[in-house]
Amino acid sequence: MNKFKILGVAFLAGMTVSYAQDIDQAKKEIDAEKYQDAKVTLKSIIKSDPSEGKAFFLLGNIYLYQSIADSAKMTYQSGLTAKDDAHFNYIGLGQLDLNNGKAAEAKAKFDLAIKEMRRKDFEEYVYVAKAYMNSTKPDYKNAISTLNLAKEKNGEEPQVLLAFGDAYYGDKNQNQAYSNYRNAFQADNSLIRAKVQLGVLLKGAKAYTEAVAAYNEVLATNPGYGPLYRELAETYYLWGLNVPGRQDEYLKKALGYYEKYMTLTDYSLTSRMRHADFLILAKDYKALEIEANKMKELDKVNPRIYRYLGYSAYQNGNVDLAIKSLEDYIANPDNKVINLDYFYLGLSNIKKATSADGTSIEPVLFEKGLVSIRKAVEMEKSVTNDLGEVGKNLYEQKLYKEAAAVLEIATSNKESNGFLYDNYYLGNAIYFDNAKPGIVKDTVALKKADIAYGNVITASPDTQDVYLSRARTNSLLENDEAMIMYYQQYIDLVTKKGPEELAKPAVKAKLIECYNTMAAGYANFDKVKAKEYFQKTLAIDPTNAYATQSLGILNK
C-alpha cells in the first residue's frame, strides 16, 4: 500500500513537470508568433487538466492579441475557476478593462492578481506591465512603475529585463531600452527577441545598414525564428522609402522576407490580416486581392476582409466592388473604421464619377467622394501624401474644377510630402478653370490660386514660372499692380541667371508676354511706363503686332 502511494505521488509529480514543460512550449510558440500552434498546445493542457489556470490565461492572451475580445473574456473567466494560478486571469480581465477605458477597474483586478503572489514571485508584475503596454491605449509609465516592483524581487531575471526593454522602447527612451535588451540577451541567449529588438532600435533610428547587420547576426544562429523575417521585411520597406533609386529593389526584398515570415509562423486569419496590412503599405494590390480572397475562404463573415477587398478592388479597377465592400464595412458600428477606409471609399466614388473617356464628371457622386476624403484627412492628415496624384490626374484630363477641389484638400496639410507641387497644380487648376472663354470668373477661387502660388514661392523662390502663373492669375483678378509686380519678379529672376537663360526661345516668348501685359496694365494709369514696356517687347521682337498697334494708339 505504501509502495502504491509512493508511485502515485511520483506519477503526479511527473504530470506536474509535463504540464510545466507544455506551458513553456506554449510560451515559446507565442514568442515565435506561432499562435495556432500555441492554441493547440494550451487547449490540450486545459482539456487534460482544467486546474492549470495559467494555460487559460495564456490562451486568453492569444485571443486578445487576435482582437477576439469575447473569446478572451470567456477564457479568462473560466480560468478563474482553476485550482492553480487562477489569479493570472485577473490580469487578462484587467487588460480588457484598460481596452474599454476603465482604468480604475483594471487596477482593482491587477491588485487581486498581485495579492496572490508569493514572496519571491515576480511574473505577475511582468504580465501586469505587459497589459499596460498591450492595451489599446498603451501606458508605458505605469508599465515601468510595475516593472520596478518586479525588479525589487529579481532585477537580474531575463524576462524582467526584456519587459523593461519593451516598456522603455514604448516610452521612447532608446538608451534604456537598448541596455535592457542587451542585458536580457546576455543573461539568457535563448531570448532571441531581445537580440532582434536591438536591430529594431537601429531601424527606428534609420540606421538601416546596421539594423540589417544586427538581424543577420541573429539569422546566422536562429534561421527558423519567424519574427526576425517580419522585422527584416519592415526594415527593407522603410529603407526603400528613404534611399532614392532603391525602392523597387528593397520592396521586392521586403515582400520576400514577409512571405518567409508567414511560412515560419502560421497562415491563420490573424496572420493573413497582418500580411494584408503590410501589402497595403507595400502597395502590392494584386497580392492583397489574392490574400483577401483566401481570407474570405477561411472566414466569410469577418468584417476586416471587406476592408482588404475594398482597397484591392479600387487599385485593380473594380470600383463597384470597392464601394460596396467599404460601405458595408463602414456601416457596421462594431467595426473600427480607420482613415484609409474613408480614403479608398472616396477615391472609388471619384473614379466611378469620372466618365470612361475622362472628359466629364458626375457631380453628385464626385461630391460624395470628396466628403469621404475629407473625413479621412480629419482622422489622419498624412493621407494627403497620396492625394496630390489624384488631383494631378484630374488636372491632366483637363477636369480643372474637380482637380482644384481635390488639391485644395491635399494642400490643407503643410507637412505633406507633395505640398509644393500640390500648391502649384492647385493654382494652375483654378487659373485654367477661370481662363476659359466666356466663363464667369470665380474671384474667391482665384484668390485661393494666388495664395497657392505664394506658398510655392515661399518654399522655392527660384521656381521662375510660378511668378508668371501668379501674374496671370492677378491679371484675371484685374489687379494690375500685383500683376505687374509678379511679372517683374519673373523678369528679375531670369535676368539674374544671365544671357544664356535670356536667349532661350521659351524665355523670350515669356518675356514678351510679361512686357506686353505689364504695358497694358500701365496703360490704365501710366502711359509713359506703358510705352516703355511695349518698346521692351519690340527690342526682342521688332515685328510684334500687339506692341506695334498698342504704341500707335498710345502715341495718338
Side-chain angles (χ1 to χ4, degrees):
M1 188 69 174
N2 287 338
K3 186 177 180 182
F4 176 79
K5 286 182 179 179
I6 292 168
L7 285 172
V9 170
F11 176 74
L12 290 173
M15 288 287 289
T16 301
V17 171
S18 174
Y19 285 132
Q21 289 173 341
D22 287 343
I23 289 286
D24 287 340
Q25 176 63 26
K27 286 180 178 179
K28 290 177 182 177
E29 289 164 346
I30 291 169
D31 176 69
E33 299 178 17
K34 296 181 177 181
Y35 298 113
Q36 290 304 110
D37 291 348
K39 277 184 179 180
V40 171
T41 301
L42 292 166
K43 286 179 180 179
S44 175
I45 295 171
I46 291 167
K47 185 177 180 180
S48 299
D49 186 3
S51 68
E52 287 291 326
K54 195 176 286 186
F56 287 94
F57 171 63
L58 294 173
L59 180 59
N61 287 352
I62 296 172
Y63 284 128
L64 202 53
Y65 173 76
Q66 295 178 329
S67 300
I68 312 172
D70 290 344
S71 295
K73 186 176 181 179
M74 289 172 58
T75 305
Y76 292 139
Q77 288 174 334
S78 297
L80 289 176
T81 65
K83 179 183 175 183
D84 301 321
D85 292 328
H87 63 287
F88 277 90
N89 291 280
Y90 283 119
I91 300 173
L93 291 169
Q95 187 181 332
L96 283 168
D97 283 334
L98 286 178
N99 290 352
N100 292 318
K102 299 176 181 178
E105 290 90 333
K107 176 68 165 55
K109 290 184 175 68
F110 295 154
D111 288 343
L112 286 172
I114 289 167
K115 186 180 177 182
E116 298 295 319
M117 291 174 64
R118 294 183 295 269
R119 189 167 62 88
K120 292 185 178 181
D121 287 348
F122 62 87
E123 195 174 17
E124 288 86 345
Y125 285 132
V126 172
Y127 279 116
V128 169
K130 287 181 178 181
Y132 278 119
M133 289 188 275
N134 295 334
S135 68
T136 51
K137 292 184 178 179
D139 184 346
Y140 297 108
K141 298 294 185 190
N142 257 326
I144 292 167
S145 296
T146 305
L147 288 169
N148 280 326
L149 298 173
K151 187 177 180 180
E152 291 175 11
K153 296 289 189 80
N154 191 342
E156 301 305 313
E157 164 59 41
Q159 289 292 344
V160 174
L161 294 169
L162 178 59
F164 261 124
D166 293 338
Y168 281 119
Y169 176 67
D171 201 41
K172 296 181 170 52
N173 186 333
Q174 306 300 297
N175 291 334
Q176 284 289 348
Y178 182 88
S179 63
N180 278 282
Y181 285 137
R182 180 197 59 204
N183 293 342
F185 185 73
Q186 288 176 347
D188 181 359
N189 62 12
S190 71
L191 290 180
I192 307 169
R193 192 170 70 80
K195 181 75 168 175
V196 172
Q197 286 298 113
L198 295 175
V200 172
L201 289 171
L202 291 166
K203 175 187 73 175
K206 296 187 177 181
Y208 302 116
T209 303
E210 293 81 358
V212 169
Y215 297 141
N216 284 334
E217 279 187 31
V218 183
L219 190 64
T221 53
N222 300 277
Y225 187 65
L228 171 63
Y229 295 93
R230 190 194 66 249
E231 295 299 344
L232 274 164
E234 293 176 3
T235 300
Y236 271 105
Y237 165 74
L238 292 170
W239 200 356
L241 292 181
N242 286 275
V243 179
R246 306 297 289 272
Q247 186 169 1
D248 289 345
E249 175 192 349
Y250 286 173
L251 186 56
K252 186 176 180 181
K253 282 190 175 184
L255 290 168
Y257 280 124
Y258 213 105
E259 289 297 332
K260 180 71 172 176
Y261 163 73
M262 293 289 288
T263 63
L264 289 171
T265 51
D266 58 42
Y267 281 93
S268 66
L269 186 65
T270 303
S271 294
R272 287 186 181 279
M273 284 182 175
R274 190 164 184 169
H275 184 211
D277 290 334
F278 185 77
L279 292 172
I280 291 168
L281 283 177
K283 301 185 190 306
D284 190 344
Y285 297 104
K286 294 291 184 186
L288 178 63
E289 187 171 14
I290 293 168
E291 191 67 280
N293 282 307
K294 285 180 179 176
M295 286 189 282
K296 197 173 179 181
E297 291 173 11
L298 289 172
D299 187 346
K300 293 181 180 179
V301 297
N302 191 293
R304 270 178 64 186
I305 294 170
Y306 291 102
R307 169 184 288 163
Y308 302 129
L309 283 172
Y311 294 3
S312 59
Y314 165 75
Q315 293 288 351
N316 296 329
N318 191 344
V319 292
D320 289 325
L321 176 60
I323 291 169
K324 185 178 186 316
S325 298
L326 292 168
E327 284 183 341
D328 286 349
Y329 181 81
I330 291 169
N332 187 339
D334 294 331
N335 291 339
K336 184 180 179 182
V337 180
I338 62 174
N339 61 85
L340 288 179
D341 301 330
Y342 283 115
F343 185 66
Y344 277 105
L345 178 58
L347 294 182
S348 298
N349 277 307
I350 287 174
K351 186 176 278 191
K352 186 174 175 63
T354 309
S355 64
D357 60 5
T359 60
S360 63
I361 287 275
E362 199 287 302
V364 174
L365 199 54
F366 179 78
E367 183 56 36
K368 189 176 179 182
L370 289 182
V371 169
S372 293
I373 287 172
R374 289 189 190 103
K375 284 182 182 177
V377 174
E378 285 171 12
M379 294 175 75
E380 175 52 63
K381 65 181 182 179
S382 67
V383 298
T384 54
N385 290 332
D386 297 317
L387 198 51
E389 195 65 29
V390 178
K392 185 182 174 185
N393 289 340
L394 291 167
Y395 174 87
E396 289 175 345
Q397 291 171 299
K398 299 187 178 353
L399 296 167
Y400 298 122
K401 187 180 291 294
E402 291 76 17
V406 172
L407 290 164
E408 188 173 357
I409 301 172
T411 56
S412 65
N413 176 18
K414 291 184 178 180
E415 285 76 44
S416 169
N417 294 339
F419 185 70
L420 188 151
Y421 288 105
D422 292 347
N423 270 282
Y424 190 64
Y425 279 106
L426 171 60
N428 283 354
I430 293 172
Y431 171 77
F432 285 120
D433 188 48
N434 283 273
K436 297 171 185 174
I439 196 167
V440 177
K441 287 180 283 191
D442 184 344
T443 57
V444 173
L446 285 166
K447 286 176 182 177
K448 289 179 181 178
D450 182 64
I451 293 169
Y453 290 133
N455 289 335
V456 178
I457 290 169
T458 300
S460 181
D462 289 336
T463 306
Q464 60 195 46
D465 280 1
V466 72
Y467 296 97
L468 280 177
S469 300
R470 197 172 192 184
R472 292 165 183 164
T473 299
N474 278 279
S475 180
L476 287 180
L477 283 166
E478 298 180 4
N479 186 341
D480 288 336
E481 290 185 3
M483 173 268 290
I484 290 167
M485 178 176 68
Y486 294 123
Y487 272 133
Q488 187 61 53
Q489 288 177 358
Y490 172 82
I491 294 165
D492 293 342
L493 193 58
V494 296
T495 302
K496 186 180 177 181
K497 291 185 177 180
E500 187 176 342
E501 183 71 17
L502 292 170
K504 293 178 180 177
V507 173
K508 283 185 177 182
K510 290 169 184 175
L511 286 171
I512 290 169
E513 175 193 332
C514 292
Y515 293 138
N516 276 345
T517 315
M518 290 168 77
Y522 276 125
N524 293 322
F525 58 91
D526 188 337
K527 290 188 177 181
V528 173
K529 278 283 187 185
K531 292 177 184 179
E532 177 188 336
Y533 276 85
F534 280 131
Q535 291 292 350
K536 288 177 182 285
T537 294
L538 294 174
I540 299 173
D541 178 13
T543 62
N544 187 273
Y546 179 71
T548 302
Q549 291 169 5
S550 298
L551 275 173
I553 294 169
L554 288 170
N555 287 325
K556 285 183 180 178

